[in-house]
């Protein structure tokens, strides 16, 4: 029973055994300590006496580093206070809470307490949990087993594809991890489960002939097609484009606010002449959104942005003949064209809104507005040449960097 003066540095430097596990007890509080398993998992614990049986028991407090040493000490003191002063048993209370917690309730806790406050994509997490794991509706959350998780993921892979199965595993694992960190559950049945499918990063770039075919397809797709056109011309993400607000546009500049970008940073995007024409042909005066969801035949909506989903991707594939079309490939196509257009890759990265590595983002406050304008105008003219007369592609010569 090794004892140590547990400090932040001591805990960080403790190493697991090759096999089995080892408990380190705090020299200042011998009932408090940390267990290190062979796989590297580190769990805080405290010993007490069961009020019902009089037997000594070991209580898990939480995982390190999610629970810090200071938090673990505080949790141990709270546990002792509840037993000795308040005369109640937190272990029995937690057991009763876990027995009453259903899987549906667990989803609600994760979404309301964690996903909504911290993730912009919380609706997608909610959709995945509610759609793909209905087999556990009404079941106790602590009754879900690892084999059941594996079986559910294999069904998702079979019916919805390997990528979706991987996404479902990631969300499920986060849900159970949150429940463990906050005392709702003691185990995570999704931990140590292998990803159902191997994913290869997409490297799809469209040829000029495919760009022309896609543009012609977008012409037949109404407001959804206009969104995809602007994705191509501005190289911004689908959700950023479809959520474009008229108030974000000033003259020929679209200022994407930080709350709507993946990097949580403002991205100023100059609009080429062709991009402005797409907007002008779509925007309804006095509407909040540029691309609005139709309320009825011939009537534009003002309450929410248009949705561009899987059915629209399938329609674009059918109309264009580009069988593997994906909106995100439009960004990659633009990025690949930056060098042939004669522009520096850093200008392309700034157009895409990528966060640069190292100290450059801190010290380089120059926003490259004119360089981005030159690149996007050149790209717009390139696309205009592609969708017009084949072989007569006009490119602008980039301005010299300041």
């Amino acid at each position: 029973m090794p004892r140590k003066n547990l400090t932040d540095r001591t805990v960080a430097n403790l190493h697991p055994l090759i096999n089995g596990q080892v408990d380190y007890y705090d020299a200042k509080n011998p009932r408090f300590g940390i267990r290190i398993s062979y796989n590297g998992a580190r769990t805080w614990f405290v010993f007490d006496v069961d009020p019902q049986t009089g037997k000594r028991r070991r209580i898990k407090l939480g995982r390190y580093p999610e629970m810090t040493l200071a938090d673990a000490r505080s949790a141990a003191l709270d546990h002792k206070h509840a037993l000795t002063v308040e005369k109640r048993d937190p272990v029995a209370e937690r057991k009763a809470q876990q027995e009453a917690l259903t899987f549906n309730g667990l989803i609600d806790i994760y979404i309301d307490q964690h996903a909504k406050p911290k993730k912009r994509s919380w609706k997608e997490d909610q959709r995945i949990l509610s759609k793909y794991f209905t087999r556990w509706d009404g079941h106790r959350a602590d009754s879900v087993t690892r084999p059941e998780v594996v079986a559910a993921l294999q069904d998702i892979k079979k019916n919805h594809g390997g990528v979706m199965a991987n996404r479902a595993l990631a969300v499920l694992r986060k849900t159970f991890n949150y429940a463990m960190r906050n005392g709702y559950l003691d185990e995570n049945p999704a931990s140590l489960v292998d990803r159902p499918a191997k994913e290869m990063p997409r490297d799809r770039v469209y040829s000029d002939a495919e760009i022309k075919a896609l543009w012609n397809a977008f012409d037949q797709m109404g407001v959804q097609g206009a969104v995809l056109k602007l994705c191509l011309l501005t190289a911004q993400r689908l959700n950023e484009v479809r959520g474009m607000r008229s108030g974000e546009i000033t003259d020929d500049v679209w200022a994407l606010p930080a709350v709507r970008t993946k990097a949580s940073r403002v991205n100023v995007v100059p609009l080429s002449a062709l991009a402005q024409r797409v907007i002008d042909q779509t925007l309804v005066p006095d509407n909040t959104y540029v691309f609005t969801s139709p309320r009825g035949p011939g009537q534009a909506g003002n309450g929410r942005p248009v949705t561009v989903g899987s059915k629209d991707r399938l329609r674009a594939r059918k109309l264009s003949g580009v069988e593997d079309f994906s909106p995100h490939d439009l960004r990659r196509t633009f990025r690949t064209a930056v060098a042939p257009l004669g522009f520096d890759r850093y200008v392309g990265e700034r157009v895409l809104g990528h966060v640069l590595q190292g100290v450059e983002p801190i010290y380089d406050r120059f926003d490259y507005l004119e360089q981005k304008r030159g690149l996007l105008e050149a790209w717009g003219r390139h696309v205009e040449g592609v969708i017009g007369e084949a072989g007569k592609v006009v490119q602008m010569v980039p301005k010299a960097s300041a």
Side-chain angles (χ1 to χ4, degrees):
M1 188 176 75
R3 291 192 180 186
K4 283 186 174 290
N5 182 22
L6 296 182
T7 65
D8 290 327
R9 177 176 293 183
T10 302
V11 173
N13 290 330
L14 292 175
H15 298 292
L17 301 176
I18 296 177
N19 293 302
Q21 55 197 14
V22 58
D23 292 343
Y24 291 96
Y25 292 81
D26 187 17
K28 297 179 180 179
N29 181 1
R31 293 189 176 186
F32 168 70
I34 187 168
R35 169 171 287 185
I36 303 182
S37 301
Y38 71 92
N39 61 3
R42 305 178 183 207
T43 307
W44 299 107
F45 65 82
V46 64
F47 276 100
D48 70 2
V49 176
D50 189 329
Q52 300 297 321
T53 65
K55 294 182 179 180
R56 196 166 180 256
R57 61 186 181 181
R58 183 176 176 281
I59 310 301
K60 295 179 182 179
L61 299 176
R63 288 284 184 89
Y64 175 86
E66 290 84 2
M67 176 179 276
T68 65
L69 172 59
D71 289 340
R73 288 190 190 280
S74 178
L77 289 174
D78 289 344
H79 181 84
K80 180 179 179 181
H81 185 270
L83 280 173
T84 59
V85 179
E86 299 177 359
K87 304 299 181 182
R88 61 184 183 84
D89 184 3
V91 177
E93 291 175 355
R94 185 164 65 247
K95 182 179 179 180
Q97 180 187 53
Q98 291 176 357
E99 291 177 349
L101 180 62
T102 64
F103 182 73
N104 309 71
L106 178 62
I107 293 176
D108 292 340
I109 288 172
Y110 168 76
I111 294 298
D112 293 339
Q113 297 183 12
H114 177 75
K116 277 185 180 180
K118 296 184 178 181
K119 298 184 67 178
R120 291 184 193 153
S121 59
W122 69 267
K123 289 185 178 179
E124 179 62 8
D125 285 7
Q126 186 178 52
R127 184 189 74 84
I128 289 174
L129 291 168
S130 301
K131 178 177 180 179
Y132 297 113
F133 299 110
T134 54
R135 63 180 65 198
W136 300 323
D137 285 354
H139 291 207
R140 280 174 46 177
D142 63 356
S143 71
V144 179
T145 65
R146 185 170 287 115
E148 289 176 336
V149 170
V150 173
L153 295 172
Q154 290 303 315
D155 284 349
I156 297 170
K157 179 181 178 180
K158 178 181 178 181
N159 297 313
H160 304 279
V163 173
M164 179 49 67
N166 288 347
R167 302 296 177 270
L169 171 60
V171 176
L172 188 66
R173 185 177 286 153
K174 289 177 183 177
T175 302
F176 278 111
N177 277 338
Y178 179 80
M180 284 183 59
R181 289 197 305 270
N182 291 275
Y184 294 103
L185 295 175
D186 291 330
E187 301 294 337
N188 180 354
S191 67
L192 304 179
V193 174
D194 291 333
R195 297 174 74 187
K198 182 178 180 180
E199 292 186 40
M200 297 296 292
R202 277 181 70 91
D203 57 1
R204 186 69 162 91
V205 173
Y206 300 127
S207 66
D208 285 352
E210 288 173 321
I211 290 175
K212 183 175 183 178
L214 286 167
W215 189 276
N216 290 337
F218 299 160
D219 272 337
Q220 304 173 60
M221 294 174 58
V223 65
Q224 286 87 353
V227 170
L228 294 170
K229 285 181 180 179
L230 210 64
C231 287
L232 172 66
L233 293 170
T234 64
Q236 303 308 300
R237 296 178 177 85
L238 175 61
N239 282 337
E240 294 169 351
V241 174
R242 75 177 189 86
M244 176 188 281
R245 296 170 180 260
S246 55
E248 296 171 355
I249 302 173
T250 304
D251 297 326
D252 67 341
V253 173
W254 171 28
L256 254 167
V259 295
R260 291 214 306 110
T261 65
K262 184 176 181 180
S264 298
R265 297 176 62 180
V266 173
N267 189 21
V268 179
V269 184
L271 299 168
S272 65
L274 183 56
Q276 291 181 71
R277 288 203 295 273
V278 172
I279 293 172
D280 291 342
Q281 292 167 3
T282 310
L283 179 63
V284 176
D286 301 324
N287 266 11
T288 301
Y289 295 101
V290 173
F291 305 105
T292 52
S293 177
R295 290 174 177 168
Q299 184 178 5
N302 193 36
R304 63 184 188 276
V306 68
T307 297
V308 182
S310 57
K311 291 183 180 180
D312 301 297
R313 288 195 292 273
L314 291 173
R315 188 180 179 197
R317 292 172 184 176
K318 182 177 180 180
L319 291 172
S320 67
V322 181
E323 296 181 354
D324 61 346
F325 167 69
S326 174
H328 197 75
D329 293 339
L330 299 173
R331 276 170 60 87
R332 190 179 302 107
T333 300
F334 162 82
R335 180 63 184 85
T336 305
V338 169
L341 287 173
F343 288 79
D344 191 286
R345 67 183 183 89
Y346 290 108
V347 181
E349 293 299 307
R350 284 172 169 82
V351 169
L352 292 169
H354 287 165
V355 177
L356 303 179
Q357 300 299 314
V359 299
E360 185 176 358
I362 300 173
Y363 292 103
D364 188 358
R365 299 297 184 182
F366 182 44
D367 64 7
Y368 286 80
L369 179 61
E370 291 305 314
Q371 284 81 353
K372 289 196 289 187
R373 177 178 281 115
L375 171 55
L376 286 167
E377 190 61 45
W379 175 240
R381 290 181 180 233
H382 178 87
V383 173
E384 194 167 12
V386 166
I387 64 178
E389 294 183 57
K392 293 185 178 180
V393 179
V394 181
Q395 297 182 7
M396 290 180 61
V397 178
K399 297 179 180 179
S401 298

